[in-house]
């Protein structure tokens, strides 16, 4: 245990012992010794004779910042980067970190609520089975595909990408088929390769067989599918000069025959048109969205926010440490569908420049998915076409 003494030298009168500095900074002496070993918080002086550590008053604010960042759970390697920045840049870095934490918390909350709803529904179904005490005959689940008397459903869909008016290359990708709907918005040197690879990795998927897989198995299979897309992106951009600076968003829906499995990461979006109302069913993994969530920005301010579209989560080139990789995983979810539902998947080249009311009007007015995607791409061009556009529209229909 380090014993405290007095430093030797003319400048030593301004220094304080490790015990006093621990009290001022709200860090334990043990933590201070650890941070010294890591190079995160060096003492102002280490006595060459007895090894005692001494700290200067000017170090107190930096040490307190380290203590506060540890309280919010920031990893030490990231704290090292933050404390080396000026105040303004440090504030941006802390906001981005916390936004990612909140996005992950929101994703876990959504999954928890899904599981609550799913298990509650299974419990009600079990109670209605012959031989169970509570057989109420409720029609609550009679409309689900796969139950007795349920109709067979299918997907009719169309996809379109457009380079826009301003960009000279198209890094967006889209796909629409009877089993897969997907849009991806690439960025960086290898953006086009990343978006194409993410969607290509989903095409061979054979996970969606409701009759053979439980909801829990389907969710696990969705996670495996998302991991496959992440690996495909890493392989696609491995030869880039900055692999971590190249990547893609991904919003995809995989059809099981009665349900849609959602895979989502980044700020591309999925919407559902049901009963004449358009609902957004994904949550942007972006800094602007996080500022909307915590009330820092109003919707009006967000629409004209001058900052870059900073993504908190995306599929990127470099492999991440295990903890970071888990934090950056795509959201996965299962959605029950109804005949007559219409889904829209799009990159932010559409959603960022066309008002939601105009999106709804275009999706409602179109007679079929092919007409819908043409209308939507036209709206983006009319709004100036500043970015590439990818969009998919799909109808849930009674199978012929």
């Amino acid at each position: 245990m380090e014993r405290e003494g007095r430093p030797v030298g003319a400048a030593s009168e301004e220094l304080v012992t490790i015990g006093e500095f621990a009290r001022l900074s709200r860090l334990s002496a043990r933590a201070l010794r650890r941070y010294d070993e890591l190079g995160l918080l060096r003492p102002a002086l280490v006595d060459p004779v007895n090894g005692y550590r001494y700290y200067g008053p000017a170090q107190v604010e930096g040490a307190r910042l380290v203590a506060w960042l540890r309280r919010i759970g920031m990893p030490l390697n990231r704290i090292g980067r933050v404390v080396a920045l000026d105040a303004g840049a440090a504030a941006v870095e802390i906001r981005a970190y916390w936004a990612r934490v909140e996005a992950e918390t929101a994703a876990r909350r959504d999954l928890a609520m899904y599981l609550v709803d799913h298990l509650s529904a299974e419990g009600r179904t079990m109670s209605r089975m012959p031989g169970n005490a509570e057989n109420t005959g409720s029609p609550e689940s009679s409309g689900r595909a796969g139950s007795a008397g349920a109709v067979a459903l299918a997907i009719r869909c169309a996809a379109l990408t457009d380079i826009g008016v301003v960009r000279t290359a198209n890094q967006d990708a889209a796909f629409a088929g009877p089993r897969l709907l997907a849009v991806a918005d690439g960025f960086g040197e290898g953006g086009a390769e990343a978006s194409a690879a993410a969607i290509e990795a989903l095409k061979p998927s054979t996970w969606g067989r409701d009759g053979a897989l439980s909801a829990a198995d389907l969710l696990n299979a969705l996670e495996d599918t998302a991991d496959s897309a992440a690996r495909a992106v890493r392989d696609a951009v491995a030869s880039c000069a900055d692999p971590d600076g190249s990547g893609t968003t991904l919003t995809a829906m995989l059809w099981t025959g009665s349900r849609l499995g959602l895979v989502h990461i980044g700020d591309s979006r999925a919407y559902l048109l049901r009963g004449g109302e358009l609902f957004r069913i994904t949550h942007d993994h972006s800094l602007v969205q996080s500022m909307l969530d915590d009330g820092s920005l109003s919707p009006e301010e967000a629409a004209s926010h001058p900052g870059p579209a900073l993504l908190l989560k995306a599929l990127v080139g470099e492999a991440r440490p295990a903890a970071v990789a888990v934090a950056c995983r795509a959201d996965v979810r299962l959605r029950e569908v109804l005949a007559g539902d219409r889904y829209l998947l799009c990159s932010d080249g559409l959603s960022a420049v066309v008002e939601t009311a105009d999106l709804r009007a275009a999706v409602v007015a179109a007679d079929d998915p092919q007409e819908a995607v043409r209308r939507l791409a036209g709206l983006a061009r009319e709004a100036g076409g500043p970015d590439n556009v990818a969009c998919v529209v799909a109808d849930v229909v009674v199978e012929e």
Side-chain angles (χ1 to χ4, degrees):
M1 182 175 179
E2 185 169 335
R3 298 175 58 192
E4 296 181 358
R6 299 301 305 169
V8 178
S12 64
E13 294 181 3
E14 297 181 358
L15 303 181
V16 297
T17 65
I18 191 171
E20 178 63 12
F21 192 72
R23 184 187 68 80
L24 293 171
S25 64
R26 304 302 174 91
L27 289 167
S28 68
R30 180 179 178 182
L32 288 170
R33 286 190 287 271
R34 174 63 174 157
Y35 298 161
D36 178 15
E37 292 168 1
L38 295 173
L40 180 61
L41 190 60
R42 296 289 196 189
L45 173 69
V46 177
D47 193 300
V49 177
N50 52 38
Y52 295 163
R53 294 172 173 87
Y54 298 93
Y55 296 82
Q59 294 180 278
V60 172
E61 287 304 312
R64 286 175 176 168
L65 177 58
V66 171
W68 293 329
L69 293 176
R70 288 299 290 157
R71 288 183 190 176
I72 66 172
M74 185 178 285
L76 286 174
N77 61 344
R78 189 160 186 170
I79 289 176
R81 295 198 302 269
V82 171
V83 297
L85 300 172
D86 61 52
V92 171
E93 182 73 11
I94 293 167
R95 176 180 287 281
Y97 166 76
W98 192 247
R100 176 169 287 175
V101 171
E102 291 187 325
E104 286 303 314
T105 301
R108 290 195 295 270
R109 181 190 63 233
D110 289 347
L111 178 57
M113 292 301 98
Y114 165 78
L115 292 173
V116 168
D117 291 344
H118 167 70
L119 294 172
S120 298
E122 280 198 348
R124 289 192 294 269
T125 301
M126 289 296 294
S127 71
R128 290 192 292 273
M129 290 177 65
N132 284 335
E134 296 182 12
N135 191 349
T136 63
S138 166
E140 192 167 339
S141 65
S142 60
R144 292 185 182 181
S147 60
V151 296
L153 301 176
I155 295 289
R156 290 180 181 169
C157 51
L160 181 148
T161 66
D162 184 71
I163 195 171
V165 176
V166 175
R167 299 291 176 90
T168 58
N170 192 351
Q171 293 187 308
D172 283 10
F175 180 83
R179 302 272 292 163
L180 171 67
L181 315 169
V183 298
D185 182 356
F187 56 84
E189 176 191 351
E193 292 80 4
S195 60
I199 292 179
E200 195 65 28
L202 303 187
K203 288 182 182 179
S205 175
T206 57
W207 65 274
R209 297 293 180 190
D210 268 352
L213 295 177
S214 68
D217 289 334
L218 285 171
L219 283 171
N220 288 342
L222 275 176
E223 293 238 348
D224 292 342
T225 300
D227 290 344
S228 296
R231 288 193 296 271
V233 169
R234 289 198 297 271
D235 292 343
V237 302
S239 61
C240 293
D242 178 19
D244 201 33
S246 294
T248 186
T249 69
L250 177 65
T251 300
M253 304 190 86
L254 294 101
W255 176 238
T256 70
S258 67
R259 287 183 284 194
L260 280 166
L262 174 67
V263 176
H264 169 69
I265 187 166
D267 62 355
S268 296
R269 293 182 175 180
Y271 296 85
L272 165 64
L273 180 71
R274 178 179 286 176
E277 294 297 322
L278 189 68
F279 306 93
R280 176 151 62 109
I281 58 175
T282 54
H283 194 79
D284 292 352
H285 301 134
S286 68
L287 183 58
V288 167
Q289 181 64 58
S290 75
M291 295 172 74
L292 275 168
D293 294 341
D294 66 18
S296 305
L297 285 179
S298 68
E300 296 75 22
E301 290 170 331
S304 57
H305 190 265
L310 177 61
L311 293 175
L312 302 178
K313 291 170 63 175
L315 302 178
V316 295
E318 283 190 355
R320 304 295 185 88
V324 178
V326 170
C328 293
R329 295 187 82 167
D331 298 343
V332 298
R333 203 171 309 153
L334 292 174
R335 295 196 60 85
E336 302 293 340
V337 300
L338 298 175
D341 285 348
R342 175 169 280 185
Y343 286 88
L344 163 64
L345 282 63
C346 65
S347 62
D348 69 338
L350 178 64
S351 60
V353 299
V354 178
E355 297 289 340
T356 303
D358 295 328
L359 290 179
R360 176 191 170 278
V363 174
V364 167
D367 290 333
D368 56 46
Q370 192 66 52
E371 180 186 348
V373 295
R374 286 197 299 265
R375 283 176 179 261
L376 292 165
L379 287 176
R381 281 187 166 262
E382 290 172 11
D387 198 357
N388 306 149
V389 170
C391 58
V392 168
V393 173
D395 291 344
V396 180
V397 298
V398 176
E399 191 169 30
E400 296 179 358

